[in-house]
Amino acid sequence: MGLILPTVSTAFIVISGILVAIGWYAIAKKQVEKHMKIMKWAAICATIFFITYVSRTAFVGNTHFGGPDSIKPIYQTFLFFHIILATVGGVMGLITLRYAYTKNYASHRKIGPWTSIVWFVTSITGAAVYLLLYWIYPGGETSGVLDVIFGK
């Protein structure tokens, strides 16, 4: 179970980011129906990521950074930045989707590009965290999320 849930959650966040990019391209080409379908799937993938991540955090815990102590503060700063971006991006995503579903297209067009940018960066930093924790350095012990962020 050790690598399965992190791999699944990371895959879904990366797929979500890719779909947002494709959806953005579709709307730039005035392909409204295609944009709507793709963004719906991007939101579904982001939701699956969120459910997988929260489930793993609640039932298993989070993995401590297993790399050298000399770069641990840099990693923790990067992780904190990623978590803030993911939180902001998630909230912005919900607002952007609400504007779309309530047909408030003027507001949707204003916030959508910003939401997309935040989500791209969230996807990239999420993949980087995954690579650092499970591929570049051996994962450390598993514990609560606050211990992982603040380095107990």
Side-chain angles (χ1 to χ4, degrees):
M1 180 82 93
L3 196 57
I4 293 171
L5 286 178
T7 302
V8 168
S9 66
T10 302
F12 275 104
I13 201 64
V14 169
I15 292 167
S16 176
I18 292 167
L19 289 172
V20 167
I22 294 168
W24 197 355
Y25 181 78
I27 201 63
K29 296 290 184 186
K30 308 283 190 234
Q31 299 169 335
V32 176
E33 289 296 318
K34 183 176 181 180
H35 170 78
M36 289 171 53
K37 287 178 186 174
I38 291 170
M39 292 308 213
K40 210 178 289 184
W41 278 106
I44 290 167
C45 288
T47 302
I48 293 170
F49 155 77
F50 183 73
I51 291 168
T52 307
Y53 177 79
V54 169
S55 297
R56 181 175 186 275
T57 299
F59 298 114
V60 178
N62 282 43
T63 304
H64 282 271
F65 180 66
D69 287 341
S70 61
I71 63 170
K72 188 174 183 179
I74 297 167
Y75 168 79
Q76 287 174 307
T77 302
F78 184 79
L79 177 63
F80 187 73
F81 175 71
H82 166 70
I83 291 169
I84 296 298
L85 271 178
T87 303
V88 169
V91 171
M92 288 177 75
L94 291 172
I95 292 167
T96 304
L97 287 168
R98 181 170 182 262
Y99 285 150
Y101 282 107
T102 59
K103 300 184 183 340
N104 184 347
Y105 298 124
S107 296
H108 179 80
R109 278 191 289 275
K110 286 180 186 174
I111 193 174
W114 293 103
T115 304
S116 296
I117 292 167
V118 171
W119 204 249
F120 296 148
V121 177
T122 298
S123 297
I124 292 165
T125 58
V129 167
Y130 170 78
L131 291 172
L132 287 166
L133 278 182
Y134 300 102
W135 292 99
I136 296 172
Y137 300 108
E141 65 183 55
T142 301
S143 66
V145 69
L146 293 178
D147 291 339
V148 170
I149 295 169
F150 296 111
K152 181 179 177 187

